[in-house]
Amino acid sequence: MSTLQSNGGEIHFVSAAAKGEHSVDLSELGVTARAVALNCDSFDSYVAELQPDVVVFDRFLMEEQFAWRVDRSCPAAVRILDSEDLHCLRDARHKALKQKRLLNQQDLSSELALREIASIWRCDLTLVISEFEMALLQDTYGVPADLLHYLPLLTDFTADQATQWLPYAERQHCVVVGNFRHAPNWDAVQYLRSELWPLIRRQLPTAECHVYGAYPPPKALQLQSEKLGFLIKGWADDADAVVRNARLCLAPLRFGAGQKGKLLAAMECGTPSVTTMIGAEGMRGDMPWGGSVVADSEQFSVDYSDAVVRLYQNSERWAVAQQCGRDLLLQRFQASHFLPGFTRCVDSLRQDINGHRGKHFNSLMLRHHTIKSNQYMSQWIAAKNRDQRKPLD
């Protein structure tokens, strides 16, 4: 939003979700926020009056819900899908994990994949957060490169900020950060508590693991153990302050997709992390990781706990990991490197959206058929809701 805003755009944020207690006040950022209802024709008149130049859908479910309305009311608007991560990839990995097997091609052809990839084809551009997923979309699903734009999580981190990091000796304990409602995070916390932390604690008897995250359910609070030093802290008013004071960030993610914001934030705080291949996926490229990446194997639990202990106890190894995180931030995720290209891409689409669409017959075909089916389903639900509100005779 800030990038489009800095390019002269007037930003309107439209959401059908209820505001939470930690919602950001977008008006302070100069953004106009509006609540809308799902399957309601009131959105049509709103967007027809607004006539936006660019419409960004936050994840494919929003494209399914609103794209046909945008297409009908402002067909010339550039439609951008912000994928965040590939939901179908995360779901496929989750199913494979639960069934204790490797991921296969059939997993990547699920109903969820059909819906998500169709949404990507229907949009004029999809923002992809991971290089791995950029390759997967092109090589496995055949999505043309000019329908995709690599835009990872970004940072304004500078080398001078690294001089303010707390040194090894002034840090203690391990930290875990992540929303408890996000399935990969919840699985990682459970696995850490049951399989990994007991092994770590045997070798580091005074170390504690502090688990922070929004919306901790009662079953999460039951994982707390004072004896093991495994403490469920819940919401953190300042997550960066928590991570800055920790010696290590733990992220034993067994499934997931996209790019992990918690690991980027750990690098910004100068806190080495111990994660998995999936945790580091799409982030490190050919560069050394800012901590340890533990490969999946039959002895994963032992390997992971050993990696944590080595980093936690060895100040020299820890300092090298910290600097590797610094180098990753400076070389791979600088906002100044990516945002001008994103702005140019959007401007180019705005100038010749019909020419862009004309190159992709498959996109036009999917847009015609799939958007119609979503339209008719949404209109049926809207009509049903209206009938239910009518008073009985």
Side-chain angles (χ1 to χ4, degrees), residues 11 72 74 92 99 110-111 188 194 206 223 234 263 282 303 327 351-352 354 376-377 385:
I11 310 299
R72 187 167 65 177
C74 42
Q99 296 173 15
S110 65
E111 180 181 345
S194 63
T206 62
L223 298 178
L263 298 179
D303 292 343
D327 293 343
Q351 292 167 14
D352 187 22
N354 291 328
Y376 297 143
M377 175 59 73
N385 290 340

PDB file of all heavy atoms in Angstrom, residues 11 72 74 92 99 110-111 188 194 206 223 234 263 282 303 327 351-352 354 376-377 385:
ATOM      1  N   ILE A  11      -5.312   5.239  -1.831  1.00  0.00           N
ATOM      2  CA  ILE A  11      -5.512   3.848  -1.440  1.00  0.00           C
ATOM      3  C   ILE A  11      -6.809   3.672  -0.663  1.00  0.00           C
ATOM      4  O   ILE A  11      -7.068   4.373   0.312  1.00  0.00           O
ATOM      5  CB  ILE A  11      -4.329   3.339  -0.584  1.00  0.00           C
ATOM      6  CG1 ILE A  11      -2.994   3.650  -1.280  1.00  0.00           C
ATOM      7  CG2 ILE A  11      -4.473   1.846  -0.315  1.00  0.00           C
ATOM      8  CD1 ILE A  11      -2.827   3.011  -2.636  1.00  0.00           C
ATOM      9  N   ARG A  72     -17.309  -6.629 -13.809  1.00  0.00           N
ATOM     10  CA  ARG A  72     -18.550  -6.066 -14.320  1.00  0.00           C
ATOM     11  C   ARG A  72     -18.608  -4.548 -14.151  1.00  0.00           C
ATOM     12  O   ARG A  72     -19.136  -3.841 -15.006  1.00  0.00           O
ATOM     13  CB  ARG A  72     -19.735  -6.716 -13.591  1.00  0.00           C
ATOM     14  CG  ARG A  72     -21.101  -6.334 -14.155  1.00  0.00           C
ATOM     15  CD  ARG A  72     -22.186  -7.220 -13.617  1.00  0.00           C
ATOM     16  NE  ARG A  72     -22.373  -7.065 -12.180  1.00  0.00           N
ATOM     17  CZ  ARG A  72     -23.327  -7.701 -11.494  1.00  0.00           C
ATOM     18  NH1 ARG A  72     -24.146  -8.542 -12.122  1.00  0.00           N
ATOM     19  NH2 ARG A  72     -23.454  -7.517 -10.195  1.00  0.00           N
ATOM     20  N   CYS A  74     -15.822  -2.323 -13.329  1.00  0.00           N
ATOM     21  CA  CYS A  74     -14.660  -1.557 -13.807  1.00  0.00           C
ATOM     22  C   CYS A  74     -13.712  -2.509 -14.537  1.00  0.00           C
ATOM     23  O   CYS A  74     -12.642  -2.854 -14.014  1.00  0.00           O
ATOM     24  CB  CYS A  74     -13.955  -0.831 -12.660  1.00  0.00           C
ATOM     25  SG  CYS A  74     -13.762  -1.790 -11.134  1.00  0.00           S
ATOM     26  N   ALA A  92      -0.907 -29.242   0.629  1.00  0.00           N
ATOM     27  CA  ALA A  92      -0.391 -30.530   0.149  1.00  0.00           C
ATOM     28  C   ALA A  92       0.688 -31.067   1.082  1.00  0.00           C
ATOM     29  O   ALA A  92       0.718 -32.266   1.402  1.00  0.00           O
ATOM     30  CB  ALA A  92       0.165 -30.367  -1.266  1.00  0.00           C
ATOM     31  N   GLN A  99       0.073 -37.983   6.745  1.00  0.00           N
ATOM     32  CA  GLN A  99       0.075 -39.358   6.268  1.00  0.00           C
ATOM     33  C   GLN A  99       1.468 -39.992   6.303  1.00  0.00           C
ATOM     34  O   GLN A  99       1.654 -41.117   5.843  1.00  0.00           O
ATOM     35  CB  GLN A  99      -0.505 -39.403   4.851  1.00  0.00           C
ATOM     36  CG  GLN A  99      -1.971 -38.986   4.796  1.00  0.00           C
ATOM     37  CD  GLN A  99      -2.497 -38.855   3.373  1.00  0.00           C
ATOM     38  OE1 GLN A  99      -1.863 -39.328   2.417  1.00  0.00           O
ATOM     39  NE2 GLN A  99      -3.661 -38.239   3.215  1.00  0.00           N
ATOM     40  N   SER A 110      -4.649 -31.012  -6.322  1.00  0.00           N
ATOM     41  CA  SER A 110      -5.849 -31.069  -5.486  1.00  0.00           C
ATOM     42  C   SER A 110      -6.892 -30.059  -5.947  1.00  0.00           C
ATOM     43  O   SER A 110      -6.623 -29.185  -6.795  1.00  0.00           O
ATOM     44  CB  SER A 110      -5.482 -30.773  -4.031  1.00  0.00           C
ATOM     45  OG  SER A 110      -5.014 -29.434  -3.905  1.00  0.00           O
ATOM     46  N   GLU A 111      -8.097 -30.157  -5.388  1.00  0.00           N
ATOM     47  CA  GLU A 111      -9.140 -29.184  -5.708  1.00  0.00           C
ATOM     48  C   GLU A 111      -8.711 -27.774  -5.319  1.00  0.00           C
ATOM     49  O   GLU A 111      -8.982 -26.810  -6.040  1.00  0.00           O
ATOM     50  CB  GLU A 111     -10.433 -29.545  -4.972  1.00  0.00           C
ATOM     51  CG  GLU A 111     -11.572 -28.578  -5.247  1.00  0.00           C
ATOM     52  CD  GLU A 111     -12.846 -28.920  -4.493  1.00  0.00           C
ATOM     53  OE1 GLU A 111     -12.944 -30.049  -3.979  1.00  0.00           O
ATOM     54  OE2 GLU A 111     -13.738 -28.051  -4.406  1.00  0.00           O
ATOM     55  N   ALA A 188       4.401 -26.598  14.665  1.00  0.00           N
ATOM     56  CA  ALA A 188       5.797 -26.431  15.086  1.00  0.00           C
ATOM     57  C   ALA A 188       5.914 -26.316  16.597  1.00  0.00           C
ATOM     58  O   ALA A 188       6.829 -26.887  17.212  1.00  0.00           O
ATOM     59  CB  ALA A 188       6.401 -25.203  14.410  1.00  0.00           C
ATOM     60  N   SER A 194       6.962 -31.401  22.390  1.00  0.00           N
ATOM     61  CA  SER A 194       6.929 -32.844  22.658  1.00  0.00           C
ATOM     62  C   SER A 194       8.220 -33.568  22.301  1.00  0.00           C
ATOM     63  O   SER A 194       8.661 -34.470  23.028  1.00  0.00           O
ATOM     64  CB  SER A 194       5.757 -33.493  21.911  1.00  0.00           C
ATOM     65  OG  SER A 194       5.932 -33.361  20.503  1.00  0.00           O
ATOM     66  N   THR A 206      19.526 -24.633  31.972  1.00  0.00           N
ATOM     67  CA  THR A 206      19.053 -23.330  32.464  1.00  0.00           C
ATOM     68  C   THR A 206      18.374 -22.504  31.377  1.00  0.00           C
ATOM     69  O   THR A 206      17.848 -21.423  31.651  1.00  0.00           O
ATOM     70  CB  THR A 206      20.225 -22.515  33.052  1.00  0.00           C
ATOM     71  OG1 THR A 206      21.194 -22.263  32.029  1.00  0.00           O
ATOM     72  CG2 THR A 206      20.887 -23.275  34.209  1.00  0.00           C
ATOM     73  N   LEU A 223       0.470 -26.511  27.151  1.00  0.00           N
ATOM     74  CA  LEU A 223       1.832 -26.962  26.841  1.00  0.00           C
ATOM     75  C   LEU A 223       2.869 -26.369  27.788  1.00  0.00           C
ATOM     76  O   LEU A 223       4.024 -26.801  27.794  1.00  0.00           O
ATOM     77  CB  LEU A 223       2.189 -26.575  25.400  1.00  0.00           C
ATOM     78  CG  LEU A 223       1.345 -27.191  24.281  1.00  0.00           C
ATOM     79  CD1 LEU A 223       1.802 -26.670  22.925  1.00  0.00           C
ATOM     80  CD2 LEU A 223       1.413 -28.716  24.320  1.00  0.00           C
ATOM     81  N   GLY A 234       2.059 -15.877  24.914  1.00  0.00           N
ATOM     82  CA  GLY A 234       0.932 -15.259  24.222  1.00  0.00           C
ATOM     83  C   GLY A 234       1.324 -14.013  23.447  1.00  0.00           C
ATOM     84  O   GLY A 234       2.418 -13.915  22.898  1.00  0.00           O
ATOM     85  N   LEU A 263      11.355 -15.171  10.467  1.00  0.00           N
ATOM     86  CA  LEU A 263      12.788 -15.395  10.283  1.00  0.00           C
ATOM     87  C   LEU A 263      13.477 -14.162   9.716  1.00  0.00           C
ATOM     88  O   LEU A 263      14.625 -13.876  10.054  1.00  0.00           O
ATOM     89  CB  LEU A 263      13.017 -16.618   9.397  1.00  0.00           C
ATOM     90  CG  LEU A 263      12.474 -17.930   9.986  1.00  0.00           C
ATOM     91  CD1 LEU A 263      12.720 -19.097   9.049  1.00  0.00           C
ATOM     92  CD2 LEU A 263      13.116 -18.214  11.344  1.00  0.00           C
ATOM     93  N   GLY A 282      13.128 -20.434  -0.172  1.00  0.00           N
ATOM     94  CA  GLY A 282      12.866 -19.190  -0.873  1.00  0.00           C
ATOM     95  C   GLY A 282      13.516 -17.970  -0.250  1.00  0.00           C
ATOM     96  O   GLY A 282      13.244 -16.849  -0.671  1.00  0.00           O
ATOM     97  N   ASP A 303      19.259 -34.105  15.353  1.00  0.00           N
ATOM     98  CA  ASP A 303      20.016 -33.119  14.573  1.00  0.00           C
ATOM     99  C   ASP A 303      19.585 -31.694  14.926  1.00  0.00           C
ATOM    100  O   ASP A 303      20.425 -30.790  15.059  1.00  0.00           O
ATOM    101  CB  ASP A 303      19.821 -33.360  13.077  1.00  0.00           C
ATOM    102  CG  ASP A 303      20.464 -34.645  12.597  1.00  0.00           C
ATOM    103  OD1 ASP A 303      21.323 -35.185  13.325  1.00  0.00           O
ATOM    104  OD2 ASP A 303      20.104 -35.106  11.501  1.00  0.00           O
ATOM    105  N   ASP A 327      24.057 -10.220   6.171  1.00  0.00           N
ATOM    106  CA  ASP A 327      24.375 -10.227   4.746  1.00  0.00           C
ATOM    107  C   ASP A 327      23.146 -10.596   3.901  1.00  0.00           C
ATOM    108  O   ASP A 327      22.943 -10.039   2.814  1.00  0.00           O
ATOM    109  CB  ASP A 327      25.512 -11.213   4.472  1.00  0.00           C
ATOM    110  CG  ASP A 327      26.828 -10.768   5.102  1.00  0.00           C
ATOM    111  OD1 ASP A 327      26.939  -9.574   5.451  1.00  0.00           O
ATOM    112  OD2 ASP A 327      27.733 -11.616   5.258  1.00  0.00           O
ATOM    113  N   GLN A 351      -0.978   1.088 -18.613  1.00  0.00           N
ATOM    114  CA  GLN A 351      -0.897   1.750 -19.906  1.00  0.00           C
ATOM    115  C   GLN A 351      -1.416   0.889 -21.060  1.00  0.00           C
ATOM    116  O   GLN A 351      -1.904   1.419 -22.063  1.00  0.00           O
ATOM    117  CB  GLN A 351       0.554   2.173 -20.179  1.00  0.00           C
ATOM    118  CG  GLN A 351       1.048   3.287 -19.262  1.00  0.00           C
ATOM    119  CD  GLN A 351       2.556   3.479 -19.333  1.00  0.00           C
ATOM    120  OE1 GLN A 351       3.202   2.977 -20.243  1.00  0.00           O
ATOM    121  NE2 GLN A 351       3.116   4.203 -18.368  1.00  0.00           N
ATOM    122  N   ASP A 352      -1.312  -0.448 -20.903  1.00  0.00           N
ATOM    123  CA  ASP A 352      -1.744  -1.312 -22.013  1.00  0.00           C
ATOM    124  C   ASP A 352      -2.328  -2.609 -21.459  1.00  0.00           C
ATOM    125  O   ASP A 352      -1.837  -3.701 -21.751  1.00  0.00           O
ATOM    126  CB  ASP A 352      -0.568  -1.604 -22.945  1.00  0.00           C
ATOM    127  CG  ASP A 352      -0.995  -2.356 -24.205  1.00  0.00           C
ATOM    128  OD1 ASP A 352      -2.193  -2.288 -24.552  1.00  0.00           O
ATOM    129  OD2 ASP A 352      -0.141  -3.025 -24.820  1.00  0.00           O
ATOM    130  N   ASN A 354      -5.213  -4.038 -22.140  1.00  0.00           N
ATOM    131  CA  ASN A 354      -5.839  -4.867 -23.174  1.00  0.00           C
ATOM    132  C   ASN A 354      -4.799  -5.635 -23.981  1.00  0.00           C
ATOM    133  O   ASN A 354      -5.014  -6.802 -24.345  1.00  0.00           O
ATOM    134  CB  ASN A 354      -6.699  -4.004 -24.100  1.00  0.00           C
ATOM    135  CG  ASN A 354      -7.936  -3.476 -23.403  1.00  0.00           C
ATOM    136  OD1 ASN A 354      -8.484  -4.131 -22.517  1.00  0.00           O
ATOM    137  ND2 ASN A 354      -8.382  -2.289 -23.803  1.00  0.00           N
ATOM    138  N   TYR A 376     -22.706 -16.492 -10.439  1.00  0.00           N
ATOM    139  CA  TYR A 376     -24.026 -17.075 -10.247  1.00  0.00           C
ATOM    140  C   TYR A 376     -24.176 -17.646  -8.838  1.00  0.00           C
ATOM    141  O   TYR A 376     -25.249 -17.547  -8.233  1.00  0.00           O
ATOM    142  CB  TYR A 376     -24.285 -18.148 -11.301  1.00  0.00           C
ATOM    143  CG  TYR A 376     -24.304 -17.608 -12.706  1.00  0.00           C
ATOM    144  CD1 TYR A 376     -23.794 -18.320 -13.776  1.00  0.00           C
ATOM    145  CD2 TYR A 376     -24.823 -16.334 -12.970  1.00  0.00           C
ATOM    146  CE1 TYR A 376     -23.803 -17.810 -15.062  1.00  0.00           C
ATOM    147  CE2 TYR A 376     -24.832 -15.803 -14.257  1.00  0.00           C
ATOM    148  CZ  TYR A 376     -24.312 -16.550 -15.292  1.00  0.00           C
ATOM    149  OH  TYR A 376     -24.322 -16.034 -16.562  1.00  0.00           O
ATOM    150  N   MET A 377     -23.112 -18.234  -8.311  1.00  0.00           N
ATOM    151  CA  MET A 377     -23.173 -18.756  -6.948  1.00  0.00           C
ATOM    152  C   MET A 377     -23.366 -17.622  -5.944  1.00  0.00           C
ATOM    153  O   MET A 377     -24.192 -17.704  -5.018  1.00  0.00           O
ATOM    154  CB  MET A 377     -21.894 -19.534  -6.621  1.00  0.00           C
ATOM    155  CG  MET A 377     -21.815 -20.006  -5.164  1.00  0.00           C
ATOM    156  SD  MET A 377     -23.183 -21.097  -4.687  1.00  0.00           S
ATOM    157  CE  MET A 377     -22.709 -22.605  -5.560  1.00  0.00           C
ATOM    158  N   ASN A 385     -30.201 -14.821   0.939  1.00  0.00           N
ATOM    159  CA  ASN A 385     -30.123 -13.976   2.137  1.00  0.00           C
ATOM    160  C   ASN A 385     -31.252 -12.938   2.157  1.00  0.00           C
ATOM    161  O   ASN A 385     -31.806 -12.651   3.224  1.00  0.00           O
ATOM    162  CB  ASN A 385     -28.768 -13.282   2.195  1.00  0.00           C
ATOM    163  CG  ASN A 385     -27.624 -14.231   2.485  1.00  0.00           C
ATOM    164  OD1 ASN A 385     -27.852 -15.337   3.003  1.00  0.00           O
ATOM    165  ND2 ASN A 385     -26.409 -13.846   2.153  1.00  0.00           N
TER     166      ASN A 385
END
